Structure formats: C-alpha cells, structure tokens
Amino acid sequence: MAGPETLRPLRPHPSDRADWLLQAEGGRYRFRVTAGRARTLGRSTNADFVIDAMLVSRFHCSLSVADGELAVENLSRSNGTFVNGDRIERAVLKPGDRLRVGRIELVVSTGDGAPAPD
C-alpha cells in the first residue's frame, strides 16, 4: 500500500493573477488594472487613467484583463503605443514589460508586487 500523498500548495503563475500595476519610475503615475472592464489611458479627463503629458493622445490606449492576462490596445492614430520599444496595435503584457505612451514609460507588475519571472 502506498503512503499518503503529500500535497503541496501550487504557487500561482503570475499570469493567473487578476490585478496588475502600471507605474512610472518616480511614482508620478500609478494605475491598478483589474478584470471586469476595459480601461482607457490618455490625456482626456474622461479617460479612466489620466496622463497629462505631451504626445499622449486624449484616448491613447485601452487596457483590459481577461483570463489573468493584461492586454493593451493602441487607440492613438498618430502617437502610437509602445511595448519594450516596439510599436504595437495590440499586445499581451507581462511583469517587467515597459509600456510607453508619449514620453511616459510605465513598468508592468502584478498587483501583489511580485517580480518578473526568471
């Protein structure tokens, strides 16, 4: 007869988390994105996350969480949205990625502040 199995709690993979943080170095901008609905980021006071800076469009990009993944979609026809230096139309973000709108760069992390996986 085999001995009792030892159950170990599974450590959730970072992409299984529902909360994500976007933060500019220096802490001037800090946004929490959760599942539920898409959030807009832009210069407009009607955007969900407001960044009042040059080269940021009124509605620059959209952020959403689905199945534990944070996705960004470009909404700016002229200024563009960049992930890790590459211009994107849509991308899935991971902890440690850098999202740039205008001249503002936001670092992506999980809501619990966990570092990027190795």
Side-chain angles (χ1 to χ4, degrees), residues 39-84:
R39 305 283 183 174
T40 55
L41 185 148
R43 196 179 70 246
S44 171
T45 56
N46 291 326
D48 296 305
F49 302 135
V50 178
I51 294 182
D52 187 21
M54 290 180 58
L55 302 178
V56 174
S57 299
R58 285 178 293 147
F59 294 98
H60 202 101
C61 64
S62 173
L63 300 157
S64 60
V65 176
D67 298 325
E69 291 185 325
L70 174 62
V72 59
E73 184 173 346
N74 179 49
L75 300 176
S76 174
R77 286 183 279 241
S78 57
N79 296 327
T81 301
F82 297 80
V83 174
N84 300 325

Side-chain angles (χ1 to χ4, degrees), residues 2 5 19 27 34 37 51 53 60 93 95 103 118:
E5 292 183 31
D19 286 6
T34 59
R37 71 178 182 97
I51 294 182
H60 202 101
L93 299 170
R103 293 184 179 146
D118 294 325

Side-chain angles (χ1 to χ4, degrees), residues 4 11 15 17 20 23-24 32 37 50 74 76 86 107 118:
R11 186 172 160 212
S15 67
R17 297 182 176 117
W20 294 84
Q23 184 169 332
R32 182 177 300 273
R37 71 178 182 97
V50 178
N74 179 49
S76 174
D86 295 324
V107 178
D118 294 325

Side-chain angles (χ1 to χ4, degrees), residues 22-31 50-53 104 106:
L22 297 146
Q23 184 169 332
E25 291 184 14
R28 180 172 179 194
Y29 297 105
R30 180 183 168 108
F31 308 113
V50 178
I51 294 182
D52 187 21
I104 304 298
L106 302 164

